[in-house]
Amino acid sequence: MPTPEDIQGWIQAGLPRAEVRVAGDGRHFEAVIVDDGFAGQSLLARHQMVYDALGARMKADIHALSMQTLTPDEHRARGA
Amino acid sequence: MSVHEQLKQVIESNEVVLFMKGTPDFPQCGFSGRTAQILQACDTRFASVDVLADDAVRQGIKDYSNWPTVPQLYVRGEFIGGCDIMTQLYESGELQKILKPETAPN
């Protein structure tokens, strides 16, 4: 079963400029992904970018991944 | 008729369609249950499809939208998202606008 670090690495590999933080219990994971490439993208398109980065692993290993997909400005605005 | 064509027909012949695990009354997964609750909270009539009843549908819907998980929501033929996105859109009030464009305050 994947660890948060595995998932962080997979996303990072697909979105090299992104800042990625992942937490989770082995089946359900929460990720915060900050990337200026999200600017002007719909929520759906942003999530699709992350799923594309995860590729086939998403279908096999990860039951549930909840995501916050933010641009650097949105991230700062949330004070996260 | 191929699975893809069957799915296309269901999606295009219902204004709101939720592909989920189980049924709104008996969801088989927390995320599926949550999405059905959100639609009910929005007072929206919707068709639901239990992907657990047919493996071809369960896999086919993921290919149809190039989205790896279920549940999946479609409104007027357009893929909206899964539980995560529906929750975020609901909390921002965006989902209500998508579901009922004519009654949404602007």
Side-chain angles (χ1 to χ4, degrees), chain A residues 31-80:
Chain A
V32 177
I33 303 133
V34 182
D35 190 327
D36 50 25
F38 289 148
Q41 299 276 350
S42 70
L43 203 52
L44 182 62
R46 295 179 184 197
H47 283 223
Q48 190 73 60
M49 284 165 70
V50 178
Y51 280 140
D52 291 345
L54 286 166
R57 294 184 198 89
M58 186 61 206
K59 285 186 179 172
D61 308 330
I62 302 169
H63 174 62
L65 173 62
S66 171
M67 295 186 243
Q68 292 292 330
T69 49
L70 305 165
T71 62
D73 294 342
E74 289 162 351
H75 187 52
R76 264 190 302 279
R78 292 191 181 197

Side-chain angles (χ1 to χ4, degrees), chain A residues 29-33 38 41-44 46-47 51 65-70 74 78, chain B residues 34-35 38 42 67 73 80-96 98:
Chain A
F29 295 92
E30 296 85 34
V32 177
I33 303 133
F38 289 148
Q41 299 276 350
S42 70
L43 203 52
L44 182 62
R46 295 179 184 197
H47 283 223
Y51 280 140
L65 173 62
S66 171
M67 295 186 243
Q68 292 292 330
T69 49
L70 305 165
E74 289 162 351
R78 292 191 181 197
Chain B
R34 173 135 182 74
T35 52
I38 287 174
C42 292
W67 188 262
L73 176 68
I80 302 302
C83 183
D84 205 22
I85 283 179
M86 278 180 71
T87 303
Q88 292 180 36
L89 292 176
Y90 176 63
E91 282 162 0
S92 69
E94 196 59 35
L95 185 63
Q96 291 82 330
I98 294 170

Side-chain angles (χ1 to χ4, degrees), chain B residues 52-66:
Chain B
L52 299 179
D54 180 340
D55 239 9
V57 168
R58 181 175 187 170
Q59 189 46 47
I61 198 61
K62 293 176 185 177
D63 298 334
Y64 186 91
S65 56
N66 185 27

